[in-house]
Amino acid sequence: MTRIGGTWSNWARTTQITPLRIERPRTPEGVQRAVRAAVAQGLTVKAVGAGHSFTGIAAAPGVLLELDDMQGLVMADAGSGRVTLLAGTRLHRVPRLLAACGLAMQNLGDIDRQSIAGAISTGTHGTGARFGGLAAQVVGVTMITAAGDFLRVDEEQNTEMLPAVALGLGALGIIVEVTLQCVPAFVMHAIDEPVPLADVLATLDDRVAASDHFEFYWFPHTDVALTKRQTRLPESTVRRPLPVVGKWIDETLLSNGVYRVVCAAGQAVPAITPPFNRLAVKLTGDRVYTDRSHRVLTQNRNVRFREMEYALPAENVVSAFRTVKELISQRGWRIEFPIEVRFAGEDDRWLSTAHGRATGYIAVHRFWRADHTAYFDAVEQIMLEHGGRPHWGKLHSLDAGQLRERYPRFDDFRALRDRLDPDRRFGNRHLERVLGD
């Protein structure tokens, strides 16, 4: 399907663009035809997934490819745990697709609305010091190059490219299929518990090491951390999920419905933010349950927001967090969204935020109608002073020169880009900034 005109915007409403035309291919061969046609006309061409990146990384000024019709399972091998998915497959559909094979993804981020290709290409990650992000689970990719050819990258073909194309920012080609290394399906025992923030910061290393997955949220203007710790258990474990009504009250009514109203009201009357944050800490974050892995790892978030997230050497997280906390107090800001702290194991993906080091993440948010500029700019400087690398799909101000200093394989990635897309048919303004021309 092809249509002329129309405006595309991302979920956060931070990017809007009117491409020359929009195409909706249904097969990998359809993508190939679209790429060849765009190149023949001298146009740029880019694919978009669910639009959950906060940056302009997917903005397509020439030909925009919507991959919504390219969803589903291509191949599954229960014995090896390998599965191949069409690039547009939404993450929230993957658990059901894998269930028949008794498999699950090793780890997930806390939002599952993205497409699989978009999630790996921007470095989506979850939490757990022994587990990498989604791109670390990729063992094969099929994409269409700027020459209009199919390129398979896996353990048998073009293997040297895998650490680059598994997290390629959409700069190397249009991904049409993704092969993942999955694990046997499992359940998780989860404990969500409010703990004094001072105690969490003093014992953070021990808490991270003691759980398969650990993270915490801190609402500014409070002295409590909402901790989440999770233990992986065999699929045969008896499940004790959250009661349906209680889960609806906590996650839909309070965390989304009431929270949206309060965030909006806080823009007119900032003084209501601190007391509401203290109330939110009392009403949420205290529960114990056991459920399937994807139901524990992911959350339903409907309140629109803007986000910046930085990846730090794990040993720098506490210092950076304390500095941000002090910053908010000094500036007298009224921050309505919590700060989120997560962890990930190191990996070998060239542009991974966890490349070569155990990593902790600090994410800051603002309601989408709030001016985030001063807050994000100040926090970013703290993150940079602590060795931070920005999340590729979230807001930041760095350019290619600054990013080169933070990624040992940055120039190797650029060299591969020169080889696969010398004319920058998959480029846009955002990629020009972060990768150079």
Side-chain angles (χ1 to χ4, degrees):
M1 181 182 75
T2 301
R3 68 178 185 269
I4 306 300
T7 298
W8 177 86
S9 64
N10 62 351
W11 177 84
R13 303 297 189 264
T14 54
T15 296
Q16 287 189 340
I17 196 161
T18 302
L20 294 177
R21 69 172 181 265
I22 299 173
E23 301 193 20
R24 192 162 178 160
R26 294 184 172 87
T27 64
E29 291 76 17
V31 174
Q32 181 185 41
R33 289 191 294 270
V35 170
R36 286 180 171 176
V39 171
Q41 296 167 357
L43 301 175
T44 58
V45 55
K46 294 195 71 62
V48 298
H52 256 272
S53 290
F54 294 82
T55 70
I57 194 169
V63 179
L64 183 152
L65 303 182
E66 292 183 339
L67 302 187
D68 293 356
D69 291 338
M70 288 180 54
Q71 299 196 52
L73 196 62
V74 176
M75 178 280 297
D77 183 350
S80 67
R82 300 286 175 90
V83 300
T84 299
L85 299 162
L86 287 171
T89 306
R90 299 296 192 261
L91 291 176
H92 65 87
R93 296 190 61 204
V94 174
R96 180 172 294 180
L97 295 173
L98 301 185
C101 307
L103 298 173
M105 291 183 65
Q106 183 185 72
N107 202 4
L108 287 166
D110 57 1
I111 295 177
D112 61 2
R113 299 295 103 178
Q114 309 98 316
S115 69
I116 183 62
I120 66 170
S121 295
T122 54
T124 296
H125 63 91
T127 194
R130 293 184 290 278
F131 304 96
L134 271 64
Q137 302 172 45
V138 175
V139 293
V141 168
T142 300
M143 65 184 188
I144 309 300
T145 67
D149 299 325
F150 279 91
L151 177 66
R152 179 64 183 175
V153 179
D154 57 25
E155 294 165 324
E156 298 179 355
Q157 305 171 70
N158 305 298
T159 308
E160 74 284 357
M161 296 184 188
L162 187 60
V165 302
L167 203 168
L169 310 186
L172 304 177
I174 305 294
I175 294 175
V176 293
E177 292 181 357
V178 177
T179 302
L180 301 172
Q181 178 63 62
C182 295
V183 298
F186 60 101
V187 303
M188 301 181 75
H189 180 63
I191 301 175
D192 298 353
E193 181 182 25
V195 178
L197 177 64
D199 291 354
V200 171
L201 296 179
T203 60
L204 187 59
D205 290 347
D206 292 339
R207 291 174 183 272
V208 172
S211 298
D212 291 323
H213 304 264
F214 177 84
E215 64 184 303
F216 75 87
Y217 297 80
W218 173 66
F219 276 91
H221 323 299
T222 75
D223 58 4
V224 175
L226 301 180
T227 67
K228 299 170 71 69
R229 62 186 195 269
Q230 298 145 7
T231 303
R232 300 160 77 99
L233 299 170
E235 185 185 24
S236 58
T237 303
V238 175
R239 291 186 293 121
R240 293 183 173 84
L242 291 168
V244 174
V245 174
K247 183 176 181 180
W248 180 85
I249 291 174
D250 191 14
E251 297 185 2
T252 302
L253 180 61
L254 294 177
S255 297
N256 286 301
V258 173
Y259 193 50
R260 180 185 294 107
V261 172
V262 173
C263 285
Q267 303 312 299
V269 187
I272 72 171
T273 297
F276 174 76
N277 284 4
R278 291 189 286 271
L279 178 62
V281 166
K282 293 180 180 179
L283 295 179
T284 61
D286 194 1
R287 56 190 189 176
V288 179
Y289 58 104
T290 304
D291 209 342
R292 302 188 189 280
S293 58
H294 65 278
R295 293 177 180 168
V296 175
L297 291 169
T298 62
Q299 302 176 43
N300 181 24
R301 292 186 181 179
N302 294 325
V303 180
R304 204 177 304 275
F305 58 89
R306 309 277 168 78
E307 180 176 3
M308 180 178 71
E309 182 174 45
Y310 263 80
L312 311 173
E315 63 271 17
N316 292 350
V317 167
V318 172
S319 175
F321 181 90
R322 291 185 189 278
T323 307
V324 172
K325 181 176 181 292
E326 181 63 23
L327 170 74
I328 294 171
S329 178
Q330 289 176 348
R331 297 289 181 91
W333 287 327
R334 298 293 182 257
I335 305 299
E336 70 285 349
F337 259 86
I339 295 176
E340 182 180 18
V341 179
R342 295 182 287 172
F343 298 87
E346 69 176 89
D347 63 53
D348 66 350
R349 288 1 188 183
W350 290 357
L351 294 187
S352 169
T353 49
H355 177 86
R357 68 190 193 189
T359 296
Y361 294 88
I362 296 179
V364 294
H365 315 70
R366 290 302 310 264
F367 184 55
W368 76 292
R369 294 190 181 278
D371 184 358
H372 64 272
T373 307
Y375 179 41
F376 283 16
D377 286 352
V379 171
E380 184 171 56
Q381 290 307 306
I382 294 170
M383 298 299 117
L384 295 176
E385 292 166 4
H386 286 81
R389 298 168 176 163
H391 190 300
W392 293 106
K394 299 177 184 179
L395 298 174
H396 69 90
S397 70
L398 272 59
D399 60 23
Q402 296 165 300
L403 290 162
R404 174 182 284 108
E405 300 172 357
R406 296 171 186 273
Y407 288 91
R409 303 301 297 270
F410 189 84
D411 285 331
D412 294 325
F413 184 91
R414 278 173 46 95
L416 181 59
R417 186 189 187 204
D418 288 341
R419 174 181 161 193
L420 292 178
D421 186 18
D423 297 323
R424 303 297 188 254
R425 293 303 174 193
F426 303 122
N428 60 17
R429 289 184 178 178
H430 181 80
L431 291 179
E432 287 177 10
R433 173 166 71 87
V434 300
L435 293 177
D437 55 21

